[in-house]
Amino acid sequence: MNTVSLPTDAEPAAMVADFERRARRFETPCGDGSLVWRAWGSGPPVLLAHGGHGAWSHWIRNIDALARERTVWALDLPGFGESAMPPLVNHEAISEAIATGLRQLIGPELPVDIVGFSFGGVAAAHLAAFHPELVRRLILVDTGGLDLPMGHIDVRGIRGLPDEERPAVLRANLLSLMLHDPASVDELALYLQATNGRRARIQAEKLVLPDRLLHVLPRVSVQLDAIWGEHDNPHPDPAAQAAVFRRFQPDLDLRVIPGAGHWAMYERPAEFNRAVLDLLSRPLRR
């Protein structure tokens, strides 16, 4: 049920285009333009919120598995991918744009389960604080903003580099920030990192670090659970991360993905998909 069926011999651009072709695409208001949403599958809705420097395609190795049981909604967050900038670069404006879209697109099926990765998890926590009626449960994946020590990250810019030097720098950046196993840095990961990074117009770090999530957690009343990569470099030590969450929700369920780095759902998709589907299948605790 949770096997990953991406064609290994396909070019990355063609793989992304296949998901685009199969998606139902929607636009809702955002700033002076639109918030762009995609949906696959059928069943109860689940919203996937990507990380910083990302887009909907952060979830490319998870969509098909989740869409067998759920209607999977994946948006480009405001200021990322194809979505317009929010009117103000703050969590209030980002949440308002997402809330407007949820009411318009999901409406009677609200509240919705949300899985938020990294910056997307912090954005989703603010949405749950500002608009609790829209969120049923929240699964946070490798999120920062808890005012805990970060791992050593060495990321180089690629702007201005000769074309022949870019793949090596992108590879090193992915291993420093996103992935743990060098074998995970495949052509698709390189393509997504380069493509999505070029379209990111918001510095997500300023909306996360050092403690933006920590400050909003007291206002989050919906059920929280968490999934963490065993070797998450930016936000290491899953148990320490969970301990912070449990100050506010003592019954938080933490799932650790063995062998995975920060981008756990890409690096170990089968294990991640099983964890998400299991958490989503469990009755709410409150």
Side-chain angles (χ1 to χ4, degrees):
M1 178 179 67
N2 298 314
T3 57
V4 179
S5 58
L6 294 181
T8 56
D9 58 344
E11 292 293 329
M15 297 166 74
V16 174
D18 176 64
F19 277 84
E20 294 272 17
R21 177 185 58 79
R22 294 188 284 114
R24 306 185 294 277
R25 189 178 187 279
F26 305 88
E27 297 185 20
T28 59
C30 179
D32 293 330
S34 298
L35 199 62
V36 178
W37 307 70
R38 293 166 176 84
W40 299 261
S42 61
V46 59
L47 174 63
L48 308 180
H50 64 78
H53 308 288
W56 70 267
S57 54
H58 262 170
W59 305 96
I60 198 166
R61 288 186 161 175
N62 318 107
I63 289 166
D64 281 344
L66 302 183
R68 295 187 185 104
E69 300 188 17
R70 293 287 192 123
T71 299
V72 174
W73 290 87
L75 78 165
D76 287 346
L77 289 165
F80 295 89
E82 294 185 68
S83 289
M85 289 288 288
L88 297 170
V89 181
N90 59 39
H91 280 294
E92 290 83 354
I94 290 170
S95 292
E96 189 58 40
I98 298 171
T100 297
L102 287 173
R103 292 188 181 105
Q104 181 175 323
L105 297 175
I106 297 181
E109 295 184 271
L110 291 170
V112 66
D113 296 324
I114 303 180
V115 185
F117 167 54
S118 196
F119 166 67
V122 179
H126 281 82
L127 175 72
F130 299 146
H131 302 280
E133 74 282 2
L134 302 181
V135 183
R136 181 171 178 264
R137 81 172 86 205
L138 181 55
I139 301 173
L140 299 178
V141 181
D142 293 290
T143 49
L146 294 175
D147 202 23
L148 290 174
M150 295 182 63
H152 175 70
I153 300 170
D154 182 16
V155 173
R156 291 179 55 195
I158 64 170
R159 187 172 298 173
L161 287 177
D163 289 345
E164 62 272 15
E165 294 182 20
R166 291 187 177 197
V169 174
L170 275 173
R171 183 177 298 275
N173 287 351
L174 280 166
L175 285 172
S176 180
L177 182 64
M178 299 287 278
L179 300 170
H180 171 68
D181 184 352
S184 299
V185 188
D186 56 13
E187 293 304 311
L188 179 59
L190 292 167
Y191 175 82
L192 294 177
Q193 185 76 355
T195 302
N196 292 336
R198 283 195 298 268
R199 298 190 296 179
R201 285 143 286 148
I202 288 178
Q203 289 184 290
E205 296 85 355
K206 294 182 177 180
L207 294 171
V208 175
L209 302 174
D211 56 4
R212 300 295 290 274
L213 179 55
L214 181 63
H215 278 293
V216 80
L217 284 177
R219 299 176 57 186
V220 176
S221 59
V222 305
Q223 177 174 311
L224 286 182
D225 291 308
I227 302 176
W228 230 262
E230 178 187 16
H231 302 291
D232 186 318
N233 188 34
H235 312 299
D237 191 350
Q241 310 288 337
V244 177
F245 290 128
R246 288 180 177 137
R247 295 182 205 165
F248 307 95
Q249 297 211 15
D251 51 0
L252 173 127
D253 190 341
L254 170 70
R255 307 294 177 92
V256 178
I257 306 300
H262 184 59
W263 195 4
M265 67 273 200
Y266 185 90
E267 190 160 19
R268 294 289 184 268
E271 295 89 339
F272 181 90
N273 296 338
R274 282 194 295 269
V276 167
L277 288 170
D278 184 57
L279 287 172
L280 290 174
S281 72
R282 292 176 177 267
L284 291 176
R285 296 185 297 266
R286 56 180 66 196

